[in-house]
């Protein structure tokens, strides 16, 4: 008798609570989307400037073999090895985003299509334009036209245009431009 009750119970339950194919797939995919969003929020953020074309930091740490080929192939000599990982140092030169580091990397750690550098210029109060006006050396050197100059003010940077190459820093003859690490 209980088998008959159970059968009637489930039959009546299914008659009132049906799931369409669309509803089934929507339910399955919403779980997958939620999982993707959670994993992207837990992505490892870089703590140092990486060479251009570097993949996401967590993947970079897994793929990089510390072989130093990116460092030795850089014609500008701006990639240095720190703690057995390549790091960008724009203190003495700028990055031309030539792609030599990417083409020499066999591990895929430098595999991004578009070269970006997570450094942005910061202008110091010793800037000639702020002190005396008329200096536009950094803006003239910027290949992206990302530096905005107003008379007697510190220059500003349009971060959406800036690629972080550091050419403005190299061009400033009094050293009023520093490259600051940013996460975006």
């Amino acid at each position: 008798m209980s088998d008959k009750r159970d059968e009637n119970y489930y039959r009546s339950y299914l008659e009132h609570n049906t799931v369409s194919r669309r509803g089934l797939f929507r339910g399955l995919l919403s779980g997958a989307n939620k999982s993707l969003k959670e994993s992207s929020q837990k992505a490892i953020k870089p703590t140092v400037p990486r060479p251009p074309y570097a993949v996401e930091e967590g993947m970079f740490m897994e793929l990089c073999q510390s072989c130093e080929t990116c460092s030795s192939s850089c014609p500008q000599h701006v990639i240095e090895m720190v703690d057995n990982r390549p790091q960008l140092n724009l203190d003495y030169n700028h990055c031309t985003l030539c792609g030599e580091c990417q083409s020499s990397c066999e591990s895929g750690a430098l595999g991004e299509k578009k070269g970006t550098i997570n450094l942005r210029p910061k202008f110091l109060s010793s800037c000639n334009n702020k002190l005396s006006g008329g200096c536009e050396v950094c803006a003239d050197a910027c290949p992206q036209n990302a530096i905005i100059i107003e008379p007697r003010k510190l220059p500003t940077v349009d971060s959406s245009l800036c690629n972080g190459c550091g050419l403005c820093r190299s061009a400033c003859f009094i050293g009023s431009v520093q490259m600051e690490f940013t996460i975006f």
Side-chain angles (χ1 to χ4, degrees), residues 62-103:
E62 292 290 322
L63 292 174
C64 180
Q65 300 171 351
S66 304
C67 63
E68 299 187 21
T69 58
C70 58
S71 175
S72 60
S73 68
C74 179
Q76 300 296 325
H77 306 289
V78 294
I79 300 174
E80 60 186 17
M81 299 300 285
V82 177
D83 297 328
N84 289 326
R85 296 281 187 235
Q87 183 174 317
L88 205 61
N89 182 353
L90 300 181
D91 286 344
Y92 305 106
N93 209 349
H94 62 277
C95 179
T96 59
L97 290 110
C98 64
E100 290 295 320
C101 58
Q102 181 188 30
S103 61

Side-chain angles (χ1 to χ4, degrees), residues 1-66:
M1 181 96 169
S2 72
D3 291 334
K4 186 92 166 158
R5 266 193 211 158
D6 288 343
E7 186 179 319
N8 287 334
Y9 171 78
Y10 288 118
R11 182 175 294 141
S12 104
Y13 178 81
L14 289 174
E15 285 175 4
H16 295 298
N17 298 315
T18 59
V19 177
S20 67
R21 273 190 255 165
R22 180 182 295 164
L24 175 68
F25 285 116
R26 189 176 292 152
L28 291 172
L29 293 176
S30 70
N33 287 339
K34 183 179 178 184
S35 173
L36 285 174
K37 287 178 185 175
E38 287 174 1
S39 67
S40 68
Q41 290 173 350
K42 295 178 184 176
I44 298 172
K45 301 288 184 191
T47 56
V48 295
R50 295 289 178 211
Y53 311 103
V55 295
E56 182 270 323
E57 185 72 7
M59 185 70 77
F60 180 84
M61 296 302 278
E62 292 290 322
L63 292 174
C64 180
Q65 300 171 351
S66 304

Side-chain angles (χ1 to χ4, degrees), residues 97 114 139 141-147 158 160-165 167:
L97 290 110
K114 184 180 178 200
C142 181
Q144 305 298 317
N145 296 320
I147 299 175
D158 183 349
S160 66
L161 295 175
C162 181
N163 64 5
C165 68
L167 193 56

